[in-house]
Amino acid sequence: MTLRVAMIGYGFMGAAHSVGWRQAPRVFDLPDGVETAVLVGRNAEAVAEAARHWGWGEAATDWREVIARDDIDVVDIVTPGDSHAEIAIAALDAGKHVLCEKPLANSVGEAEAMAAAAERARPRGVRAMVGFTYRRVPAVTLLRDLVAEGRIGKVQQVRAAYRQDWLVDPEVPLGWRLQKEHAGSGALGDIGAHIVDMAQFVTGQHVVAVSGTTETVVKERPVVGERAGFAGTATGETGPVTVDDVALFSGRLDGGALASFEATRFATGRKNALTIEVSGTDGALAFDLERLNELRYYDRAAPAVVQGFTTILVTEPEHPYVSAWWPAGHMLGYEHGFTHQVVDLVRAIDGGTDPHPTFAEGLSVQRTLAAVEASAADGSRWTEVRS
Ligand code: SOE
């Protein structure tokens, strides 16, 4: 059969998802075909151009009308977080499989309603997945596999950071990502969600307690003429930033490990620097998105003469996802995680299994984010250093 997809939204994630939907059936041997059928957006002219550019069969402006169609099987949600819940619940209740961008929602309440809708839909064979694509970088899946097989022994510490610097310039306008009513939170939900999911994914453990702080570094920004992003004409006005720019927090995991997290848009010079290091009793594993075809491995049992972090080049056919692509040493990039996401979703739909991360996993991340916000709101967490 062919899965006909409708994608709601068409910004940066719309472009990345479009590449995934078009590459997956051409590179991987999928049980079902995939058709990029309808692209949905509010601005008729803009969405028509985006549909032509990214190869979607039709353009539409009414998502409710599209998810009611019998000839749509999958709804892919790449809108800002303020519409994830409404669209996903309606699509699941209409019997459509759903892929929803991260974070799952803008609040725990919304995420709980989405997870409940996914539970309601599952007995009908309807599947739901959250778009944490970095799990699907081969080196990250390999990291998870090596931890699971005990390669580094018992995990004792995890340290994860996601550092960007696109907001260091105070003249960057007040886009939707900087407004709580549209984004839910700032760096914490936008990029902190990725490292919380990744820490849980690679260790198989879950965050059960956090202590953290958040900061809004630039509190007012220029307002531009359009809501959804940075396009539009300057209005000469400024508006309040209502989300965090930086989130720093510690986490206790249910397997006993201690974790530290940094999510910031003010790491000057860092463009999209996601790193994670997992330290165990027998060794360590470290991943850096800026070197995404590599995984660093330290083996405590190695003879001292050769001991040190070694580099695994994750391009062998034995490595996750790699055999479908190129010969060893021919690298993958940022967009390949979106292709692997489609592969795993299509295979789960065909196989009648739950694609991961499920909405329940997305809810777990949402609860962690909310706990960090609650911890940060409690000013008593700070102890003054007596001078
Ligand atoms: C902006 O911070 C952003 O596009 C995030 O929204 C994505 O999830 C991340 O992968 C790259 O940066």
Side-chain angles (χ1 to χ4, degrees), residues 156-178:
Q156 302 186 115
Q157 259 196 276
V158 181
R159 55 192 64 77
Y162 199 157
R163 295 169 289 161
Q164 299 177 341
D165 72 352
W166 57 280
L167 285 179
V168 170
D169 177 359
E171 292 307 309
V172 170
L174 193 70
W176 68 264
R177 279 189 167 87
L178 304 179

Side-chain angles (χ1 to χ4, degrees), residues 12-13 102 134 162 164 166 177 190-191 194 272 334:
F12 169 24
M13 284 298 114
K102 43 51 61 184
Y134 291 126
Y162 199 157
Q164 299 177 341
W166 57 280
R177 279 189 167 87
D190 185 29
I191 50 182
H194 278 297
N272 196 40
Y334 169 74

Side-chain angles (χ1 to χ4, degrees), residues 337-350:
F338 293 89
T339 299
H340 301 161
Q341 174 170 263
V342 169
V343 169
D344 291 344
L345 175 57
V346 171
R347 285 175 173 166
I349 290 170
D350 183 75

Side-chain angles (χ1 to χ4, degrees), residues 57 317 372:
V372 172

